[in-house]
Amino acid sequence: MALLEVRDIHTYYGNIHALNGISLSVEKGEIVTLIGGNGAGKSTALNTICGITPARSGSVLLSGKEITKMPPHKIVEQGITQAPEGRRIFSRLTVRENLEMGAYTQKDKDKIRQSLEQVFEIFPRLKERERQPGGTLSGGEQQMLAIGRAMMANPRILLLDEPSMGLAPILVQEIYAIIERLHGQGTTILLVEQNAQMALSICSRGYVLQTGEIVLSGSGEELLANEMVRKAYLGEN
């Protein structure tokens, strides 16, 4: 049984059919990548899984349990968290306060403290800036904060939406090293990216999304070698 399974999801914005019957799965311990161009529906897919943009039809299952109609905060309690596109940190709150916001579903203060220590161990730069307002951080540091905040809920699966967006190449390398480290520690990850080369190079499997439909799937190596992927997403002629 897959940890996360999406079955024939149809999602709309008003009359706009944003996701047209997509299906995908993520096994425990995998990194699965969803790639596609602007407007393909990648962020909508994550927001549908999280309950932010509910599906009109189809099913989302976590370890076989139907979560499609759950409100977002209940889905977080079930074990799915997201570091959203654009980071969306609380700019006036300190780094520590931003992280504590990520643990709002947690009641055990000892577990919250342990989660905070783990995040600071993974992101020592956040520890150094613990008392700084989030809005004073660099773009790379804000991305670390967004991922750290999502980790504070001890998720069973972590959704990452465009973690490399707007970052300098050296920072992209750093963020991806952190993603690989999280995966090495046992975190299951569903990764949405426009940077297909980076995303496919670290994933177990991937899906290609075009205009709300999955048109291709396979291992990271298979997709990197695919002629259509290489022309459309890797810039080859």
Side-chain angles (χ1 to χ4, degrees), residues 2 8 17 20 38 41-42 64 72-73 77 88 94 119 128 132 140 148 155-156 159 179 182 195 219 225-226 233:
D8 194 28
H17 199 171
N20 187 12
N38 282 330
K42 304 185 304 299
H73 70 281
E77 290 176 359
R88 298 186 188 178
T94 66
V119 168
E128 294 169 6
Q132 282 185 222
R156 296 164 66 188
L159 311 186
I179 292 170
L182 290 172
N195 189 331
S219 70
N226 181 273
Y233 302 110

Side-chain angles (χ1 to χ4, degrees), residues 18-223:
L19 296 179
N20 187 12
I22 73 165
S23 297
L24 59 86
S25 65
V26 183
E27 301 288 341
K28 184 177 180 180
E30 282 191 311
I31 298 180
V32 173
T33 294
L34 187 59
I35 65 169
N38 282 330
K42 304 185 304 299
S43 294
T44 300
L46 295 193
N47 287 338
T48 297
I49 292 167
C50 291
I52 297 168
T53 309
R56 191 171 295 183
S57 64
S59 298
V60 180
L61 299 101
L62 185 65
S63 294
K65 180 179 180 179
E66 180 87 41
I67 62 169
T68 317
K69 303 300 182 183
M70 283 186 183
H73 70 281
K74 291 292 185 183
I75 291 175
V76 172
E77 290 176 359
Q78 293 298 313
I80 299 178
T81 62
Q82 180 179 182
E85 180 183 356
R87 295 132 202 173
R88 298 186 188 178
I89 64 164
F90 300 101
S91 60
R92 295 186 179 182
L93 299 184
T94 66
V95 166
R96 185 187 182 97
E97 288 167 340
N98 267 276
L99 293 172
E100 289 172 343
M101 289 292 288
Y104 76 95
T105 61
Q106 304 293 316
K107 307 302 181 187
D108 189 321
K109 290 185 179 180
D110 285 338
K111 286 186 177 179
I112 294 173
R113 178 182 52 78
Q114 290 170 9
S115 295
L116 196 60
E117 289 174 356
Q118 288 172 356
V119 168
F120 283 150
E121 193 271 328
I122 295 167
F123 302 103
R125 213 173 307 174
L126 296 183
K127 176 62 176 175
E128 294 169 6
R129 289 153 174 73
E130 182 178 358
R131 301 300 176 185
Q132 282 185 222
T136 66
L137 302 182
S138 69
E141 290 165 350
Q142 289 187 15
Q143 185 61 65
M144 294 175 192
L145 181 54
I147 296 172
R149 183 179 59 188
M151 292 299 297
M152 286 293 294
N154 295 313
R156 296 164 66 188
I157 180 167
L158 175 64
L159 311 186
L160 300 178
D161 195 352
E162 303 283 7
S164 72
M165 179 180 286
L167 299 182
I170 191 169
L171 290 175
V172 172
Q173 294 284 348
E174 187 173 354
I175 290 296
Y176 267 82
I178 289 166
I179 292 170
E180 290 190 277
R181 181 178 177 186
L182 290 172
H183 177 243
Q185 293 177 347
T187 304
T188 303
I189 297 170
L190 177 57
L191 170 65
V192 155
E193 261 292 4
Q194 285 190 25
N195 189 331
Q197 180 73 51
M198 289 294 295
L200 293 175
S201 69
I202 69 166
C203 74
S204 313
R205 295 182 297 110
Y207 296 87
V208 179
L209 191 62
Q210 290 183 353
T211 58
E213 298 184 7
I214 289 175
V215 297
L216 196 62
S217 64
S219 70
E221 289 182 356
E222 289 169 343
L223 293 178

Side-chain angles (χ1 to χ4, degrees), residues 224-235:
L224 279 170
N226 181 273
E227 183 178 0
M228 184 273 281
V229 171
R230 299 188 73 83
K231 287 182 177 179
Y233 302 110
L234 302 182

